[in-house]
């Protein structure tokens, strides 16, 4: 049983060997049927594939969310059985810190380790150029700080997160703002996208999860959602995604006084591991993109 628990390889055959790093000396088993794996199990397989990139002695960026949780648990398992050692984790949220500590991963911060060897995290959207939307869970600022400090950033998602352009899912593109004057900051964000068909925005409240772009119709007004950094989040919604130069739009958002950071992660991902219905595939960043 211990040998199985300490295995560094995953237990699902990958039908795209040219896309994935794996041990070519091991024969591939027949791929399972679609019905054999739930979406959560595919997320686990993708997370375990990413953890195969972890080496002893690394400083790791530890992601936030349901997919990243599988990676944290796997790293903890490998530390306990001795397959990994001397790992230092830099959590991207208070949630990630608690989950990693429970898994037995030693923790530190960017002050002590300003260069991160490898970050593993999920994403809310991935476009064809491997640009991301992140932060629907509210951890975008710390995620971006850690992942921007990483030599390599590997993203793990299921195929529902693949979009033709950022914002095209119709779900939130979050912007973290300071609480002081948040209504003024929201109005300036609205003005920035004025005239864009299907655009909407709202202050995230403690009762919402960034998955609905309509306002509460029953008159109840819960308090604002508060991030780990004690800030608020304004969620932006785009009916047909964000059109235009993403870097220019990023700069325009960040120039608004009161904006701390936004959830577009442009050019940061090194590769994306995608859990599909019947397999796991890796998308690599092209040189010069």
């Amino acid at each position: 049983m211990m040998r199985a628990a300490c295995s560094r390889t995953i237990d699902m055959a990958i039908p795209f060997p040219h896309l994935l790093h794996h041990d070519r000396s091991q024969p591939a088993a027949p791929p399972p049927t679609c019905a054999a794996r739930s979406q959560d199990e595919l997320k686990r397989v993708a997370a375990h594939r990413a953890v195969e990139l972890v080496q002893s002695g690394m400083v790791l960026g530890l992601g936030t969310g349901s997919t990243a949780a599988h990676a944290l648990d796997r790293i903890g398992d490998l530390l306990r059985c001795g397959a990994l050692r001397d790992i230092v984790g830099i959590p991207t949220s208070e949630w990630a810190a608690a989950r990693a500590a429970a898994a037995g991963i030693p923790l530190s911060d960017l002050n002590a380790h300003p260069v991160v060897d490898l970050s593993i995290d999920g994403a809310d959207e991935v476009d064809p150029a491997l640009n991301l939307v992140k932060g629907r869970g509210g951890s975008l600022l710390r995620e971006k700080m850690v992942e921007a400090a990483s030599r390599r950033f590997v993203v793990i998602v299921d195929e529902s997160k693949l979009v033709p352009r950022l914002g095209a899912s119709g779900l939130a593109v979050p912007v973290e703002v300071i609480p002081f004057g948040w209504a003024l900051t929201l109005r300036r964000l609205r003005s920035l996208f004025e005239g864009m068909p299907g655009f909407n925005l709202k202050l995230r409240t403690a009762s919402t999860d960034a998955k609905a772009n309509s306002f509460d119709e029953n008159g109840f007004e819960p308090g604002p959602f508060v991030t780990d950094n004690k800030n608020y989040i304004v969620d932006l919604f785009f009916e047909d995604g964000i059109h235009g130069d993403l870097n220019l739009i990023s700069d325009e958002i960040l120039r608004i006084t009161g904006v701390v950071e936004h959830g577009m992660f442009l050019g940061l991902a090194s590769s994306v591991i995608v859990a599909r219905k019947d397999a796991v595939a890796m998308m690599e960043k092209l040189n010069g993109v």
Side-chain angles (χ1 to χ4, degrees), residues 34-44 276-277:
C34 296
R37 301 278 177 168
S38 69
Q39 184 179 51
D40 189 64
E41 286 172 328
L42 284 172
K43 288 181 178 181
R44 177 184 60 81
R276 300 185 183 275
K277 292 179 180 179

Side-chain angles (χ1 to χ4, degrees), residues 59 88-90 107-116:
V59 177
V88 176
I90 312 297
L107 301 178
S108 187
D109 57 35
L110 285 177
N111 295 325
H113 298 277
V115 178
V116 178

Side-chain angles (χ1 to χ4, degrees), residues 1 11 13 17 39 43 45-46 56 71 81 83 124 193-194 220-221 255 262 284-285:
M1 295 297 293
D11 57 358
Q39 184 179 51
K43 288 181 178 181
V45 172
S56 294
C81 72
D124 301 307
F193 295 98
E194 188 175 6
F220 176 67
E221 294 185 2
R255 277 199 295 266
H262 59 71
E284 295 282 359
K285 185 176 180 179

Side-chain angles (χ1 to χ4, degrees), residues 186-195 199 201:
L186 184 147
R187 286 196 294 273
R188 289 176 172 169
L189 285 165
R190 186 188 300 277
S191 296
L192 181 62
F193 295 98
E194 188 175 6
F199 173 76
L201 81 172

Side-chain angles (χ1 to χ4, degrees), residues 249-264:
I249 293 169
S250 167
D251 290 344
E252 291 176 338
I253 292 173
L254 294 174
R255 277 199 295 266
I256 296 175
T257 303
V259 167
V260 179
E261 190 52 85
H262 59 71
M264 293 188 295

